[in-house]
Amino acid sequence: MVRSRIAGTGKYVPANIVTNKDLLKYMDTSDEWIQERTGIQERHYAHRTEETTTTMGVEAARIAIERAGLTPQDIDFIVFATLSPDYYFPGCGVLLQRAMKMKEIGALDVRNQCSGFMYALSVADQFIKTGMYKNILVVGAEKHSFGLDFSTRGRNVSVIFGDGAGAVVLQPTTNENQGILSTHLHSDGANAEILAMYNPGTHANHWTEQKLADFDEAEMGEMFFSHAMIDKAQVYPNMDGPAVFKVAVEKFPAVIREALETNHLATTDLSLLIPHQANLRISQFVQKKLQLRDDQVYNNIQQYGNTTAASIPIALCEAWEMGKIKEGDLVCLAAFGSGFTWASALLKW
Ligand code: UT7
C-alpha cells in the first residue's frame, strides 16, 4: 500500500520581533492582557516592502526541499495555503513556482485559513496515494502584519497574529510503519461571518435595499471597494473571539479523537500532538480534555503568535529540529478556524 510520508520540513520566520509591549505604541492593550488571554509574548513581522507571503514561503520551501534531498526542479506539484496572499489573484502558488524556477507544474492555492495547511496536506496526500505525483511541496505562509487594524478598535484580533511560513515535501512510501495514516476534513458555514474579512468581496451585504434603489452608476466601483469599508474596518479581519473559542474547544478534541479512532489508536499512543497555534488557552484546554501529558503537546505560540496556515508547519519543523519527533513516532496535527473549518491528520514519522 502506498502512503505519503513527510520527506522534509522547513520554516521561515522574519527577523523582526515585535513584543507585546511594542504594540502599546499603536493601541490600548497590555502585556498582561495578551499573555493571560492568549499566552503570546511576541510575534515576528515581515519586512514591510522586501518580504511577502510568497517570499517567506519560498524560504521555508528551500529548506524542506533540501532536507528531502531534492532540488526545486524535482517538485511536481505545489499546494500553497494562505489567507494573506501577495495578490487578490493570482495566488501564491504560481508566484512560488516562478521564484523557485520550477518546471511548469501544477500550483494549487488553498483558502481555508487556520485549517489551510491541513486541507493542503490532505489534498497532496490524495495525489500521492493515487500515484499522480511523487514530490509535492505543501506550503503554509502568512504576512498578517500588512492587513491588521492596529488601532484600539482592532486590538482583539491584531495582538494575536504573526507572520511566517512553513513547508513540507510529501513523497510516496510503501513502508508499513511510516506515513500519513489518515486525514479528516470538516466544515460548518453557519457561522462564516463571525471570523471573517468581509471586504473587498462580492457579497454586497453592506448595500441596503434602499441604497440599491438609489443606485448611481457612478458608484459602481464602490460596491467592491470604498472608503466606507475602510472607515468601518471591514477590510480587516473581524472576529467574535469568545464565540470562536467556544466552538474551537469542542471541535479540536473531536477531530483528534476521530483520527485516533479511525486508526484504532488511543490518546496514550500519541507521541506528539501539534495543534494549530490559535491560543495557548485553547491548546491547554484540548490537552486537559484528552488527558495528554505536557511532553505529548507542542506549542510555540508564545514566540510566534497565531500564524494561521503557517502555524502547523512551523511548529512541526521546529519540533523536529528540536529532536521531539523521531522515526516511528505517532504524530497528530489538528486545526480549527474561520469558516468554520477544522481538520486533523495522523501520521507515523
Ligand atoms: O485561529 C483562528 C481561530 N481563532 C481562535 O480560535 C480565537 C478564539 N478566541 C480567543 O482566542 C479569545 O476570544 C481572544 C484571545 C480573541 C479574546 O479573549 P477573550 O478572553 O475572549 O476576550 P473578549 O474578547 O471577551 O474581551 C474581553 C475584554 C473586552 O473588554 P470589556 O468589554 O470586558 O471591557 C475587550 O474589549 O478585553 C478587551 N480586549 C482587550 N484588552 C486589552 C480585547 N482585546 C484586548 C487587548 N488588550 N488586545
Side-chain angles (χ1 to χ4, degrees):
M1 189 173 105
V2 176
R3 285 208 193 107
S4 337
R5 72 178 188 104
I6 294 178
T9 70
K11 69 169 175 30
Y12 175 81
V13 284
N16 180 25
I17 295 174
V18 177
T19 66
N20 292 343
K21 285 208 177 95
D22 291 335
L23 294 175
L24 293 171
K25 274 186 276 183
Y26 314 108
M27 64 189 82
D28 178 15
T29 186
S30 68
D31 180 41
E32 295 72 32
W33 191 96
I34 300 171
Q35 288 214 44
E36 191 188 308
R37 309 280 176 136
T38 70
I40 299 166
Q41 295 163 11
E42 57 193 31
R43 73 287 290 142
H44 295 238
Y45 283 175
H47 188 282
R48 294 252 135 213
T49 53
E50 285 166 23
E51 289 182 314
T52 69
T53 297
T54 301
T55 68
M56 292 188 283
V58 166
E59 294 303 320
R62 273 194 211 295
I63 300 167
I65 292 169
E66 196 185 317
R67 285 180 177 161
L70 303 173
T71 70
Q73 288 68 41
D74 297 317
I75 298 298
D76 46 22
F77 195 64
I78 302 161
V79 194
F80 199 124
T82 186
L83 69 68
S84 50
D86 296 25
Y87 301 128
Y88 192 83
F89 72 85
C92 291
V94 297
L95 304 181
L96 179 137
Q97 181 274 342
R98 176 175 71 185
M100 301 193 81
K101 300 186 171 54
M102 288 171 165
K103 290 183 291 193
E104 292 178 350
I105 54 173
L108 173 72
D109 280 72
V110 167
R111 296 191 47 172
N112 281 75
Q113 299 69 250
C114 298
S115 309
F117 183 78
M118 302 306 303
Y119 271 73
L121 189 75
S122 182
V123 167
D125 181 39
Q126 313 315 313
F127 276 131
I128 295 277
K129 285 196 291 203
T130 58
M132 178 109 172
Y133 298 119
K134 300 271 179 271
N135 298 307
I136 305 187
L137 175 69
V138 185
V139 182
E142 305 286 359
K143 184 176 174 180
H144 283 309
S145 60
F146 227 51
L148 296 171
D149 179 357
F150 280 99
S151 71
T152 297
R153 177 182 60 182
R155 66 184 178 174
N156 70 318
V157 172
S158 46
V159 300
I160 297 172
F161 292 99
D163 300 342
V168 302
V169 172
L170 281 196
Q171 285 183 335
T173 177
T174 48
N175 181 341
E176 272 180 32
N177 295 313
Q178 198 180 37
I180 296 176
L181 305 180
S182 61
T183 61
H184 307 269
L185 309 178
H186 295 281
S187 76
D188 177 2
N191 290 306
E193 281 77 16
I194 74 170
L195 174 45
M197 185 175 130
Y198 309 119
N199 288 307
T202 58
H203 54 81
N205 287 351
H206 47 289
W207 281 65
T208 61
E209 271 178 41
Q210 183 54 44
K211 182 76 188 161
L212 284 173
D214 301 338
F215 188 68
D216 172 353
E217 286 300 325
E219 293 175 317
M220 188 72 173
E222 297 196 6
M223 291 195 79
F224 185 62
F225 204 69
S226 69
H227 287 289
M229 291 174 191
I230 299 170
D231 295 343
K232 291 180 189 160
Q234 293 169 341
V235 295
Y236 300 114
N238 281 271
M239 173 166 71
D240 177 348
V244 177
F245 195 103
K246 224 171 113 190
V247 189
V249 294
E250 178 201 326
K251 298 299 185 190
F252 257 114
V255 81
I256 295 163
R257 282 206 178 99
E258 181 185 354
L260 289 166
E261 281 163 16
T262 302
N263 295 284
H264 311 291
L265 292 163
T267 49
T268 46
D269 297 314
L270 264 185
S271 312
L272 199 64
L273 167 68
I274 300 182
H276 159 57
Q277 300 292 290
N279 183 330
L280 189 61
R281 307 298 160 234
I282 294 177
S283 294
Q284 288 166 338
F285 191 96
V286 172
Q287 176 179 346
K288 207 169 157 197
K289 196 141 183 201
L290 296 176
Q291 296 182 302
L292 296 169
R293 301 181 309 271
D294 285 352
D295 64 287
Q296 283 178 294
V297 186
Y298 189 71
N299 289 304
N300 61 8
I301 191 170
Q302 301 90 326
Q303 270 64 56
Y304 302 121
N306 178 346
T307 57
T308 310
S311 93
I312 290 178
I314 289 175
L316 178 71
C317 178
E318 192 170 84
W320 178 81
E321 286 171 350
M322 292 166 83
K324 289 180 187 286
I325 305 176
K326 296 182 204 68
E327 206 175 314
D329 279 356
L330 184 69
V331 179
C332 185
L333 313 175
F336 174 88
S338 161
F340 296 132
T341 61
W342 62 103
S344 64
L346 197 63
L347 54 107
K348 277 258 186 185
W349 196 261

mmCIF file of all heavy atoms in Angstrom, residues 28-30 33 37-38 114 155-156 159-160 195 239 241-242 244-245 276 278-279 282 306 336-337, ligand 1:
data_model
loop_
_atom_site.group_PDB
_atom_site.id
_atom_site.type_symbol
_atom_site.label_atom_id
_atom_site.label_comp_id
_atom_site.label_asym_id
_atom_site.label_seq_id
_atom_site.Cartn_x
_atom_site.Cartn_y
_atom_site.Cartn_z
ATOM 1 N N ASP A 28 -4.399 50.580 22.782
ATOM 2 C CA ASP A 28 -4.561 50.450 24.227
ATOM 3 C C ASP A 28 -4.661 48.954 24.549
ATOM 4 O O ASP A 28 -5.709 48.338 24.372
ATOM 5 C CB ASP A 28 -5.843 51.203 24.636
ATOM 6 C CG ASP A 28 -6.110 51.079 26.129
ATOM 7 O OD1 ASP A 28 -5.180 50.678 26.863
ATOM 8 O OD2 ASP A 28 -7.243 51.377 26.542
ATOM 9 N N THR A 29 -3.548 48.386 24.978
ATOM 10 C CA THR A 29 -3.529 46.979 25.361
ATOM 11 C C THR A 29 -2.472 46.817 26.445
ATOM 12 O O THR A 29 -1.921 47.805 26.930
ATOM 13 C CB THR A 29 -3.249 46.059 24.141
ATOM 14 O OG1 THR A 29 -3.391 44.699 24.544
ATOM 15 C CG2 THR A 29 -1.873 46.270 23.553
ATOM 16 N N SER A 30 -2.179 45.600 26.850
ATOM 17 C CA SER A 30 -1.127 45.406 27.857
ATOM 18 C C SER A 30 -0.525 44.019 27.694
ATOM 19 O O SER A 30 -1.192 43.086 27.220
ATOM 20 C CB SER A 30 -1.698 45.558 29.271
ATOM 21 O OG SER A 30 -2.579 44.485 29.546
ATOM 22 N N TRP A 33 -2.625 41.488 29.634
ATOM 23 C CA TRP A 33 -3.861 41.027 28.987
ATOM 24 C C TRP A 33 -3.527 39.989 27.922
ATOM 25 O O TRP A 33 -4.140 38.913 27.869
ATOM 26 C CB TRP A 33 -4.623 42.203 28.352
ATOM 27 C CG TRP A 33 -6.022 41.823 27.897
ATOM 28 C CD1 TRP A 33 -7.176 42.007 28.592
ATOM 29 C CD2 TRP A 33 -6.386 41.163 26.670
ATOM 30 N NE1 TRP A 33 -8.246 41.503 27.882
ATOM 31 C CE2 TRP A 33 -7.792 40.976 26.693
ATOM 32 C CE3 TRP A 33 -5.684 40.702 25.564
ATOM 33 C CZ2 TRP A 33 -8.499 40.374 25.656
ATOM 34 C CZ3 TRP A 33 -6.389 40.080 24.530
ATOM 35 C CH2 TRP A 33 -7.786 39.930 24.577
ATOM 36 N N ARG A 37 -4.673 36.058 28.308
ATOM 37 C CA ARG A 37 -5.750 35.536 27.452
ATOM 38 C C ARG A 37 -5.261 34.603 26.351
ATOM 39 O O ARG A 37 -6.038 33.791 25.843
ATOM 40 C CB ARG A 37 -6.507 36.682 26.761
ATOM 41 C CG ARG A 37 -6.977 37.773 27.669
ATOM 42 C CD ARG A 37 -8.248 37.366 28.386
ATOM 43 N NE ARG A 37 -8.639 38.399 29.336
ATOM 44 C CZ ARG A 37 -9.879 38.837 29.502
ATOM 45 N NH1 ARG A 37 -10.857 38.331 28.795
ATOM 46 N NH2 ARG A 37 -10.139 39.754 30.400
ATOM 47 N N THR A 38 -3.981 34.781 25.912
ATOM 48 C CA THR A 38 -3.538 34.028 24.725
ATOM 49 C C THR A 38 -2.230 33.266 24.917
ATOM 50 O O THR A 38 -1.921 32.386 24.116
ATOM 51 C CB THR A 38 -3.316 34.981 23.522
ATOM 52 O OG1 THR A 38 -2.151 35.787 23.778
ATOM 53 C CG2 THR A 38 -4.499 35.887 23.283
ATOM 54 N N CYS A 114 -7.124 29.009 9.073
ATOM 55 C CA CYS A 114 -6.331 28.286 10.077
ATOM 56 C C CYS A 114 -6.224 26.789 9.772
ATOM 57 O O CYS A 114 -5.279 26.135 10.192
ATOM 58 C CB CYS A 114 -6.920 28.493 11.470
ATOM 59 S SG CYS A 114 -6.885 30.216 11.935
ATOM 60 N N ARG A 155 -7.912 45.663 18.417
ATOM 61 C CA ARG A 155 -6.928 45.004 19.297
ATOM 62 C C ARG A 155 -7.246 43.545 19.617
ATOM 63 O O ARG A 155 -6.329 42.763 19.873
ATOM 64 C CB ARG A 155 -6.779 45.799 20.611
ATOM 65 C CG ARG A 155 -8.035 45.801 21.457
ATOM 66 C CD ARG A 155 -7.881 46.659 22.691
ATOM 67 N NE ARG A 155 -9.116 46.671 23.455
ATOM 68 C CZ ARG A 155 -9.272 47.232 24.631
ATOM 69 N NH1 ARG A 155 -8.259 47.872 25.187
ATOM 70 N NH2 ARG A 155 -10.431 47.182 25.250
ATOM 71 N N ASN A 156 -8.518 43.164 19.628
ATOM 72 C CA ASN A 156 -8.842 41.763 19.966
ATOM 73 C C ASN A 156 -8.313 40.796 18.905
ATOM 74 O O ASN A 156 -8.111 39.624 19.176
ATOM 75 C CB ASN A 156 -10.356 41.585 20.165
ATOM 76 C CG ASN A 156 -11.112 41.713 18.857
ATOM 77 O OD1 ASN A 156 -10.811 42.581 18.055
ATOM 78 N ND2 ASN A 156 -12.088 40.848 18.647
ATOM 79 N N VAL A 159 -3.487 41.753 18.111
ATOM 80 C CA VAL A 159 -2.421 41.312 19.023
ATOM 81 C C VAL A 159 -2.105 39.823 18.850
ATOM 82 O O VAL A 159 -1.055 39.355 19.282
ATOM 83 C CB VAL A 159 -2.767 41.590 20.519
ATOM 84 C CG1 VAL A 159 -2.987 43.070 20.748
ATOM 85 C CG2 VAL A 159 -3.967 40.776 20.985
ATOM 86 N N ILE A 160 -3.015 39.096 18.241
ATOM 87 C CA ILE A 160 -2.882 37.641 18.171
ATOM 88 C C ILE A 160 -1.972 37.175 17.025
ATOM 89 O O ILE A 160 -1.250 36.199 17.159
ATOM 90 C CB ILE A 160 -4.280 36.996 17.979
ATOM 91 C CG1 ILE A 160 -5.165 37.306 19.179
ATOM 92 C CG2 ILE A 160 -4.186 35.501 17.770
ATOM 93 C CD1 ILE A 160 -6.605 36.876 18.995
ATOM 94 N N LEU A 195 -15.889 35.100 12.015
ATOM 95 C CA LEU A 195 -14.440 35.246 11.891
ATOM 96 C C LEU A 195 -14.168 35.403 10.403
ATOM 97 O O LEU A 195 -14.068 34.420 9.662
ATOM 98 C CB LEU A 195 -13.705 34.035 12.482
ATOM 99 C CG LEU A 195 -12.179 33.965 12.303
ATOM 100 C CD1 LEU A 195 -11.512 35.294 12.594
ATOM 101 C CD2 LEU A 195 -11.583 32.881 13.180
ATOM 102 N N MET A 239 -13.531 39.395 14.286
ATOM 103 C CA MET A 239 -13.737 38.125 14.995
ATOM 104 C C MET A 239 -14.542 38.328 16.274
ATOM 105 O O MET A 239 -14.255 39.241 17.050
ATOM 106 C CB MET A 239 -12.378 37.497 15.349
ATOM 107 C CG MET A 239 -12.506 36.256 16.233
ATOM 108 S SD MET A 239 -11.006 35.284 16.335
ATOM 109 C CE MET A 239 -9.970 36.337 17.325
ATOM 110 N N GLY A 241 -14.368 36.722 19.224
ATOM 111 C CA GLY A 241 -13.429 35.805 19.874
ATOM 112 C C GLY A 241 -14.063 34.763 20.783
ATOM 113 O O GLY A 241 -13.828 33.555 20.616
ATOM 114 N N PRO A 242 -14.880 35.198 21.758
ATOM 115 C CA PRO A 242 -15.464 34.217 22.679
ATOM 116 C C PRO A 242 -16.309 33.154 21.964
ATOM 117 O O PRO A 242 -16.288 31.980 22.335
ATOM 118 C CB PRO A 242 -16.326 35.078 23.614
ATOM 119 C CG PRO A 242 -15.700 36.441 23.555
ATOM 120 C CD PRO A 242 -15.165 36.583 22.169
ATOM 121 N N VAL A 244 -15.888 32.043 18.895
ATOM 122 C CA VAL A 244 -14.975 31.140 18.185
ATOM 123 C C VAL A 244 -14.332 30.176 19.184
ATOM 124 O O VAL A 244 -14.225 28.969 18.936
ATOM 125 C CB VAL A 244 -13.888 31.937 17.415
ATOM 126 C CG1 VAL A 244 -12.900 30.987 16.742
ATOM 127 C CG2 VAL A 244 -14.522 32.856 16.381
ATOM 128 N N PHE A 245 -13.921 30.725 20.305
ATOM 129 C CA PHE A 245 -13.266 29.925 21.361
ATOM 130 C C PHE A 245 -14.159 28.742 21.756
ATOM 131 O O PHE A 245 -13.708 27.598 21.860
ATOM 132 C CB PHE A 245 -13.013 30.841 22.570
ATOM 133 C CG PHE A 245 -12.040 30.282 23.574
ATOM 134 C CD1 PHE A 245 -10.726 30.746 23.629
ATOM 135 C CD2 PHE A 245 -12.434 29.311 24.481
ATOM 136 C CE1 PHE A 245 -9.821 30.242 24.553
ATOM 137 C CE2 PHE A 245 -11.543 28.794 25.415
ATOM 138 C CZ PHE A 245 -10.235 29.267 25.451
ATOM 139 N N HIS A 276 -2.953 23.529 15.802
ATOM 140 C CA HIS A 276 -2.828 24.875 15.235
ATOM 141 C C HIS A 276 -2.714 25.859 16.390
ATOM 142 O O HIS A 276 -3.448 25.770 17.370
ATOM 143 C CB HIS A 276 -4.057 25.186 14.376
ATOM 144 C CG HIS A 276 -4.264 26.643 14.165
ATOM 145 N ND1 HIS A 276 -3.294 27.452 13.612
ATOM 146 C CD2 HIS A 276 -5.317 27.455 14.474
ATOM 147 C CE1 HIS A 276 -3.748 28.696 13.579
ATOM 148 N NE2 HIS A 276 -4.969 28.722 14.094
ATOM 149 N N ALA A 278 -3.654 28.730 17.816
ATOM 150 C CA ALA A 278 -4.641 29.815 17.803
ATOM 151 C C ALA A 278 -4.583 30.601 19.097
ATOM 152 O O ALA A 278 -4.711 31.832 19.106
ATOM 153 C CB ALA A 278 -6.038 29.247 17.616
ATOM 154 N N ASN A 279 -4.393 29.881 20.185
ATOM 155 C CA ASN A 279 -4.425 30.484 21.509
ATOM 156 C C ASN A 279 -3.900 29.415 22.472
ATOM 157 O O ASN A 279 -4.398 28.279 22.448
ATOM 158 C CB ASN A 279 -5.878 30.874 21.847
ATOM 159 C CG ASN A 279 -5.990 31.569 23.185
ATOM 160 O OD1 ASN A 279 -5.197 31.319 24.101
ATOM 161 N ND2 ASN A 279 -6.975 32.438 23.317
ATOM 162 N N ILE A 282 -6.514 27.583 24.359
ATOM 163 C CA ILE A 282 -7.248 26.543 23.624
ATOM 164 C C ILE A 282 -6.438 25.248 23.653
ATOM 165 O O ILE A 282 -6.961 24.172 23.952
ATOM 166 C CB ILE A 282 -7.543 26.978 22.165
ATOM 167 C CG1 ILE A 282 -8.512 28.164 22.146
ATOM 168 C CG2 ILE A 282 -8.107 25.799 21.348
ATOM 169 C CD1 ILE A 282 -8.829 28.718 20.764
ATOM 170 N N ASN A 306 -0.280 33.721 16.400
ATOM 171 C CA ASN A 306 -1.048 32.836 15.519
ATOM 172 C C ASN A 306 -0.645 33.146 14.073
ATOM 173 O O ASN A 306 -0.912 34.237 13.586
ATOM 174 C CB ASN A 306 -2.541 33.094 15.757
ATOM 175 C CG ASN A 306 -3.443 32.257 14.864
ATOM 176 O OD1 ASN A 306 -3.006 31.665 13.890
ATOM 177 N ND2 ASN A 306 -4.726 32.226 15.199
ATOM 178 N N PHE A 336 -8.364 24.269 13.737
ATOM 179 C CA PHE A 336 -9.739 24.789 13.729
ATOM 180 C C PHE A 336 -9.662 26.278 13.406
ATOM 181 O O PHE A 336 -8.768 26.960 13.895
ATOM 182 C CB PHE A 336 -10.411 24.613 15.106
ATOM 183 C CG PHE A 336 -11.765 25.262 15.161
ATOM 184 C CD1 PHE A 336 -12.893 24.563 14.764
ATOM 185 C CD2 PHE A 336 -11.902 26.589 15.564
ATOM 186 C CE1 PHE A 336 -14.145 25.174 14.774
ATOM 187 C CE2 PHE A 336 -13.158 27.204 15.577
ATOM 188 C CZ PHE A 336 -14.278 26.490 15.188
ATOM 189 N N GLY A 337 -10.589 26.758 12.594
ATOM 190 C CA GLY A 337 -10.564 28.197 12.324
ATOM 191 C C GLY A 337 -11.729 28.685 11.495
ATOM 192 O O GLY A 337 -12.751 27.995 11.367
HETATM 193 O O1 UT7 B 1 -7.022 30.853 14.745
HETATM 194 C C1 UT7 B 1 -8.321 31.092 14.313
HETATM 195 C C2 UT7 B 1 -9.326 30.778 15.342
HETATM 196 N N1 UT7 B 1 -9.329 31.801 16.342
HETATM 197 C C3 UT7 B 1 -9.465 31.468 17.615
HETATM 198 O O2 UT7 B 1 -9.525 30.301 17.925
HETATM 199 C C4 UT7 B 1 -9.590 32.580 18.627
HETATM 200 C C5 UT7 B 1 -10.544 32.193 19.722
HETATM 201 N N2 UT7 B 1 -10.776 33.288 20.674
HETATM 202 C C6 UT7 B 1 -9.821 33.730 21.528
HETATM 203 O O3 UT7 B 1 -8.705 33.245 21.489
HETATM 204 C C7 UT7 B 1 -10.204 34.789 22.540
HETATM 205 O O4 UT7 B 1 -11.584 35.006 22.487
HETATM 206 C C8 UT7 B 1 -9.454 36.139 22.359
HETATM 207 C C9 UT7 B 1 -7.997 35.981 22.764
HETATM 208 C C10 UT7 B 1 -9.568 36.602 20.928
HETATM 209 C C11 UT7 B 1 -10.075 37.225 23.234
HETATM 210 O O5 UT7 B 1 -10.045 36.817 24.589
HETATM 211 P P1 UT7 B 1 -11.374 36.871 25.476
HETATM 212 O O6 UT7 B 1 -10.981 36.453 26.817
HETATM 213 O O7 UT7 B 1 -12.419 36.069 24.783
HETATM 214 O O8 UT7 B 1 -11.708 38.418 25.499
HETATM 215 P P2 UT7 B 1 -13.015 39.192 24.973
HETATM 216 O O9 UT7 B 1 -12.997 39.300 23.500
HETATM 217 O O10 UT7 B 1 -14.219 38.607 25.631
HETATM 218 O O11 UT7 B 1 -12.780 40.629 25.582
HETATM 219 C C12 UT7 B 1 -12.713 40.857 26.988
HETATM 220 C C13 UT7 B 1 -12.334 42.284 27.241
HETATM 221 C C14 UT7 B 1 -13.181 43.300 26.477
HETATM 222 O O12 UT7 B 1 -13.357 44.429 27.304
HETATM 223 P P3 UT7 B 1 -14.714 44.646 28.154
HETATM 224 O O13 UT7 B 1 -15.806 44.705 27.129
HETATM 225 O O14 UT7 B 1 -14.822 43.441 29.040
HETATM 226 O O15 UT7 B 1 -14.469 45.917 28.875
HETATM 227 C C15 UT7 B 1 -12.307 43.683 25.328
HETATM 228 O O16 UT7 B 1 -12.565 44.984 24.842
HETATM 229 O O17 UT7 B 1 -10.984 42.512 26.834
HETATM 230 C C16 UT7 B 1 -10.939 43.630 25.951
HETATM 231 N N3 UT7 B 1 -9.857 43.413 24.982
HETATM 232 C C17 UT7 B 1 -8.581 43.797 25.199
HETATM 233 N N4 UT7 B 1 -7.995 44.426 26.233
HETATM 234 C C18 UT7 B 1 -6.678 44.654 26.134
HETATM 235 C C19 UT7 B 1 -9.922 42.796 23.781
HETATM 236 N N5 UT7 B 1 -8.719 42.778 23.207
HETATM 237 C C20 UT7 B 1 -7.863 43.391 24.062
HETATM 238 C C21 UT7 B 1 -6.493 43.650 24.029
HETATM 239 N N6 UT7 B 1 -5.939 44.293 25.087
HETATM 240 N N7 UT7 B 1 -5.708 43.277 22.988
#
